[in-house]
Amino acid sequence: MKLTNIGTVRSLMEKHGIKFQKKFGQNFLIREEIPIRIADECGAGKDDYVLEIGPGIGTLTRELCQVAGKVVAVEIDSGLIPVLEETLADFDNVEVVNSDVMKLDIKSFFEEKFGDKNVYVCANLPYYITTPIIMLLLESRLPIKKMTFMVQKEVADRLSSNSREGDYGAVTAAVSYYGRVEKLFNVSAGNFMPAPKVDSAVIQITLYDKPPVSTSDEKLFFKVIRAAFEQRRKTLVNALSGKVDISKEDILNAVTSIGLDPNIRGEKLDIADFARLSDEIKRIQSER
Ligand code: SAM
């Protein structure tokens, strides 16, 4: 069964009486090499488990089943479940779960489905919730080795950017705390059905065993990052003012006492600077 064939996609959908659901970000892959390459490069071997988010009609899922020990695929659209039963019938190492991934109790889901196995996450992500899904998986501290995602090219460039200008944003900074991001390859819009308006790219996040910087209060660290980028045209001191629980004067003291220019903008800081700054803010808070 060649699921990247346009005729096959059409006849499967017709047979099961379903239509592409725009609200679920359904753009199915129709170029055979792409799911094969994603499965090859996702890092999972026969001893490993894979979580796939949004299997669609099972195009990438089938390739993942060939490389991994077991694949658990979470699909929100109940209309696709009978299609997946048909397209995945020749694999006995796959389980399809009909659920919104954002509504799962993700920690217990991992314990139940994967136990103590190494987990690799793979997805051609629905574009409307790319960042929330990535942040949910990172912040939940799950036993994930690598995550390989198809995302909008613009998002891929932002997340894999080393520069602290332009595309660099709060999400880039937050993601770089959890793992190393690499762009694997670009995928043009014509490789999907229906074709989206923008091009895509595949990125891979290799999770660190331990964050590259240490901070005494992770929650405050992320709060400072978010606030710094929320109003990125302001200086860092102005952007943080009213957002962290100390006076503007104390924010200025914190910024200068870690050796930063008082007029610096948030986008100039790397995560080591953010860790030092949030620790200093924490110290000032605790003195009061
Ligand atoms: N993996 C297929 C492929 O590559 O051809 C389909 C990818 S399509 C871009 C995104 C898939 O994610 C769709 O099947 C969609 O129904 C599903 N999806 C959207 N939101 C979801 C959610 N919150 N939880 C689980 N699946 C979701």
Side-chain angles (χ1 to χ4, degrees):
M1 188 181 294
K2 207 169 173 185
L3 295 178
T4 46
N5 183 294
I6 295 176
T8 310
V9 179
R10 283 214 182 97
S11 66
L12 269 171
M13 296 188 73
E14 237 164 66
K15 178 175 165 196
H16 291 274
I18 51 169
K19 294 205 160 62
F20 291 106
Q21 300 265 8
K22 213 173 164 193
K23 66 173 177 192
F24 292 143
Q26 290 179 355
N27 302 96
F28 298 159
L29 276 165
I30 49 164
R31 164 109 32 202
E32 194 181 10
E33 302 85 85
I34 298 167
I36 293 177
R37 186 163 173 197
I38 295 175
D40 270 357
E41 296 192 24
C42 79
K46 284 287 174 204
D47 276 341
D48 304 313
Y49 282 13
V50 169
L51 167 67
E52 187 192 4
I53 298 160
I57 58 168
T59 315
L60 173 60
T61 326
R62 286 177 63 91
E63 301 305 330
L64 294 170
C65 287
Q66 318 247 27
V67 299
K70 183 181 171 187
V71 179
V72 177
V74 179
E75 173 56 59
I76 195 171
D77 184 357
S78 56
L80 289 170
I81 305 303
V83 182
L84 288 163
E85 270 162 24
E86 180 178 338
T87 59
L88 301 175
D90 36 347
F91 294 97
D92 58 8
N93 60 340
V94 60
E95 180 183 343
V96 175
V97 177
N98 183 201
S99 174
D100 177 343
V101 72
M102 298 302 294
K103 296 211 171 120
L104 290 173
D105 175 347
I106 197 80
K107 262 195 170 306
S108 33
F109 183 81
F110 261 66
E111 274 163 30
E112 183 196 326
K113 302 292 179 196
F114 306 122
D116 55 6
K117 288 278 184 185
N118 287 332
V119 183
Y120 292 78
V121 180
C122 264
N124 171 9
L125 281 180
Y127 294 161
Y128 74 106
I129 44 166
T130 301
T131 306
I133 290 179
I134 295 178
M135 292 314 293
L136 169 78
L137 294 168
L138 290 173
E139 287 171 354
S140 305
R141 294 288 163 90
L142 304 161
I144 299 171
K145 288 278 172 199
K146 281 180 194 281
M147 312 204 287
T148 308
F149 294 131
M150 174 91 71
V151 295
Q152 286 186 30
K153 187 172 170 294
E154 183 210 328
V155 175
D157 290 337
R158 192 175 333 130
L159 289 178
S160 57
S161 150
N162 287 322
S163 132
R164 266 172 271 130
E165 280 153 23
D167 281 345
Y168 181 81
V171 178
T172 317
V175 171
S176 69
Y177 179 73
Y178 293 107
R180 184 171 51 81
V181 186
E182 212 184 328
K183 183 158 122 178
L184 299 184
F185 57 97
N186 290 329
V187 179
S188 60
N191 292 299
F192 300 89
M193 181 181 172
K197 288 199 179 71
V198 292
D199 289 337
S200 298
V202 177
I203 56 159
Q204 188 161 68
I205 307 174
T206 304
L207 281 294
Y208 297 128
D209 291 332
K210 193 167 135 280
V213 297
S214 70
T215 163
S216 57
D217 185 337
E218 226 174 56
K219 227 171 134 190
L220 180 63
F221 166 76
F222 285 114
K223 192 173 177 183
V224 169
I225 292 178
R226 264 196 311 275
F229 285 100
E230 242 162 42
Q231 294 163 298
R232 54 196 297 168
R233 260 179 257 115
K234 289 191 175 178
T235 64
L236 177 64
V237 173
N238 283 336
L240 296 186
S241 180
K243 297 285 170 60
V244 289
D245 193 20
I246 56 172
S247 68
K248 189 169 171 185
E249 199 188 339
D250 279 339
I251 297 171
L252 180 64
N253 288 336
V255 168
T256 52
S257 75
I258 63 160
L260 297 176
D261 184 308
N263 294 316
I264 199 165
R265 288 174 203 276
E267 62 195 19
K268 297 288 175 204
L269 275 65
D270 61 19
I271 57 166
D273 296 325
F274 280 117
R276 285 187 298 135
L277 178 61
S278 58
D279 280 359
E280 184 59 17
I281 292 173
K282 172 110 179 148
R283 195 188 61 73
I284 294 172
Q285 282 174 343
S286 68
E287 271 180 358
R288 281 180 302 123

